Amino acid sequence: MPFLTTDVLPAGTLADHPQPVLATGDGLSLRPWRAADAPAVHRAFQDPALHRWHLRAADSEDEAGHWIEEWRLAWAGERDAQWAVVDEATDRLRGRVALRGIVLAEGLAEVAYWTVADARGQGVAARATAALAGWALDAIGFHRLELTHATANEASCRVAAKTGFTLEGTKRSAGLHRDGWHDMHLHARVRGDRP
């Protein structure tokens, strides 16, 4: 049975090209992950504040290295796209930003991010999210990007608002964290929206 619409983005939109390096224009770069990033990722995941909002723990540098390999392979599979957020001058890891759950046919993906402990409060997540959203919507042609976070995560709510993601509602009891079920805010930015 034929579809009545055409795909928003054809297969190969991402995989047919190398994963790009994206600049924020203010001192940060979003670059593909490297195997050498494993120690920094492992250190980042030793932070108890990161465990509050994220569901994974890294028990070793080897485990972080396996994650990085998964993140790198996901580009070719066009299901996720993950970037290391680094200081442009020093290449020091400041965080991660990603498009998850990519559905090219619908031009849809979810934005996700985290920052290392000493990068918090410096606008790293917002700057990286703005650069990624601009690239995904304007350069690649995604139609809709979603961003979800626990309603108790006020910092993530500020990132969403600063980067033009409109709050669309609350998904009740939608995210299971270590301390139980959380209500989740759903934000979205649609192509043509301005931050």
Side-chain angles (χ1 to χ4, degrees):
M1 180 178 327
F3 286 99
L4 298 176
T5 60
T6 58
D7 290 351
V8 175
L9 296 169
T13 295
L14 302 179
D16 288 352
H17 307 280
Q19 185 175 356
V21 173
L22 307 172
T24 62
D26 59 5
L28 296 176
S29 280
L30 285 55
R31 64 156 171 80
W33 288 96
R34 301 175 185 149
D37 295 323
V41 171
H42 178 253
R43 275 192 307 277
F45 273 81
Q46 303 317 299
D47 176 14
L50 197 61
H51 295 170
R52 183 168 183 205
W53 308 119
H54 295 274
L55 305 178
R56 295 179 85 178
D59 293 331
S60 68
E61 289 182 13
D62 283 345
E63 184 176 15
H66 289 297
W67 293 357
I68 289 169
E69 186 58 23
E70 289 173 10
W71 296 340
R72 291 169 52 81
L73 292 173
W75 178 266
E78 297 185 308
R79 59 189 182 277
D80 293 309
Q82 310 256 358
W83 283 264
V85 180
V86 298
D87 181 277
E88 203 166 49
T90 66
D91 200 48
R92 183 176 174 200
L93 184 66
R94 311 312 286 147
R96 164 265 203 173
V97 68
L99 296 176
R100 299 187 315 187
I102 295 170
V103 183
L104 291 176
E106 296 177 17
L108 174 68
E110 179 185 3
V111 173
Y113 47 79
W114 51 258
T115 57
V116 300
D118 66 355
R120 292 196 192 110
Q122 300 172 26
V124 170
R127 291 153 56 201
T129 297
L132 179 59
W135 173 81
L137 294 166
D138 300 332
I140 299 303
F142 277 85
H143 174 69
R144 178 181 168 90
L145 300 179
E146 296 181 346
L147 189 160
T148 60
H149 63 82
T151 56
N153 189 341
E154 295 175 4
S156 275
C157 207
R158 288 191 299 272
V159 168
K162 285 180 187 175
T163 56
F165 283 77
T166 301
L167 177 60
E168 294 187 338
T170 301
K171 297 166 57 174
R172 295 178 304 121
S173 196
L176 180 59
H177 293 309
R178 286 177 20 165
D179 62 350
W181 289 99
H182 284 240
D183 290 350
M184 304 293 283
H185 273 166
L186 170 64
H187 300 260
R189 190 164 149 189
V190 176
R191 191 168 193 206
D193 287 351
R194 289 294 148 219

